[in-house]
Amino acid sequence: MYSNGDIFVGEIIGTAILILFGAGVCAAVTLNHSKAQASGWIVIAFGWGFGVMAGAYTAAPLSGGHLNPAVTLGIAIDTGEWDKTWIYVAGQMIGAMLGAGLAYLVYLAQFNANVPGGAKDVPGSRSPTPTLGIFSTIPEIRNPVANLLTEVIGTIGLVLPILAFGLTEGLGKSGTQTLIVAFLVVGIGLSLGGPTGYAINPARDLGPRVVHHFLPIPNKGTSDWGYAWVPVAGPLAGGLLAGLIYNAAF
């Protein structure tokens, strides 16, 4: 249905928009001298949900708007069509890195002020802000088994409903399916995001983590590569299981 070129471009653009909104809201809530600083978890959850909505609606005409290797994997298991999977994943990874870079540019002044004392023209001395959580996920309690299980379950909670939504013909024709998926992501963030920060998307976590590693952010801290496998393996396993459950049950 979609050409290889359209898939690649669509997934780059859509995933870049997703991460621009998602990393952007995390930066807004986290960084010193941001007007939205400390506005809380609900703001973050809705920011990511709106990012999914904007990115998926934008990419839908070109690629269907997967924006997530776990979703692509679940759909491939359902349909048995694997030949374009790598194109989707490549576009998603490039888009995720591009979106992270754009979010960095939006908050460039705040990132550059991430030094003791903060921005020189802003009164008050502030401590540097950790920055990895703006780009990638960090577990609240570091327990690889528990963290992996959280990501697997959270991703099943994303991919299985997405596959099931496809059974309701009117949702696809009316265009409301994408809106419902956006609210699904908000719900996952509010309900299941507490333990790990809900990656539920390997590209969403790995692409921005790579960008964080290379960005010249003052006092940026570690990119935590020892944990990086969890938000990749967990969502991929969740997408795989969701596809298998869907095929067995529906």
Side-chain angles (χ1 to χ4, degrees):
M1 179 179 179
Y2 306 109
S3 72
N4 290 351
D6 282 349
I7 290 171
F8 187 60
V9 172
E11 292 297 298
I12 289 175
I13 294 172
T15 310
I17 292 172
L18 163 63
I19 302 301
L20 173 61
F21 277 52
V25 74
C26 289
V29 172
T30 302
L31 288 171
N32 293 330
H33 311 300
S34 164
K35 292 183 181 296
Q37 187 187 31
S39 51
W41 188 251
I42 293 177
V43 172
I44 289 175
F46 273 94
W48 277 103
F50 290 141
V52 169
M53 181 178 67
Y57 271 124
T58 303
L62 293 173
S63 65
H66 295 189
L67 315 186
N68 183 342
V71 171
T72 299
L73 176 60
I75 292 173
I77 291 170
D78 172 40
T79 63
E81 298 175 1
W82 293 88
D83 56 317
K84 296 182 185 294
T85 301
W86 70 273
I87 303 173
Y88 275 97
V89 174
Q92 290 155 5
M93 281 297 300
I94 293 171
M97 290 188 284
L98 177 60
L102 292 173
Y104 166 72
L105 293 177
V106 170
Y107 286 89
L108 181 62
Q110 282 72 27
F111 279 114
N112 287 342
N114 194 48
V115 295
K120 294 180 180 179
D121 59 343
V122 177
S125 178
R126 305 192 188 189
S127 300
T129 303
T131 59
L132 178 59
I134 294 170
F135 295 88
S136 299
T137 58
I138 302 171
E140 195 67 17
I141 297 175
R142 188 171 294 264
N143 181 319
V145 174
N147 302 151
L148 186 68
L149 187 60
T150 296
E151 289 293 335
V152 170
I153 294 171
T155 308
I156 293 173
L158 172 69
V159 177
L160 184 58
I162 287 176
L163 294 174
F165 292 160
L167 297 175
T168 304
E169 186 176 351
L171 290 179
K173 287 186 176 180
S174 65
T176 54
Q177 180 173 337
T178 298
L179 178 62
I180 293 172
V181 171
F183 279 109
L184 172 63
V185 172
V186 173
I188 291 172
L190 294 176
S191 300
L192 308 177
T196 63
Y198 72 116
I200 58 173
N201 181 339
R204 167 264 177 277
D205 194 275
L206 181 58
R209 195 181 298 268
V210 171
V211 171
H212 177 268
H213 179 79
F214 289 105
L215 283 175
I217 302 172
N219 296 291
K220 70 178 178 180
T222 177
S223 297
D224 196 7
W225 289 105
Y227 178 75
W229 68 274
V230 173
V232 172
L236 288 177
L240 172 65
L241 290 172
L244 295 173
I245 293 168
Y246 179 79
N247 276 351
F250 290 89

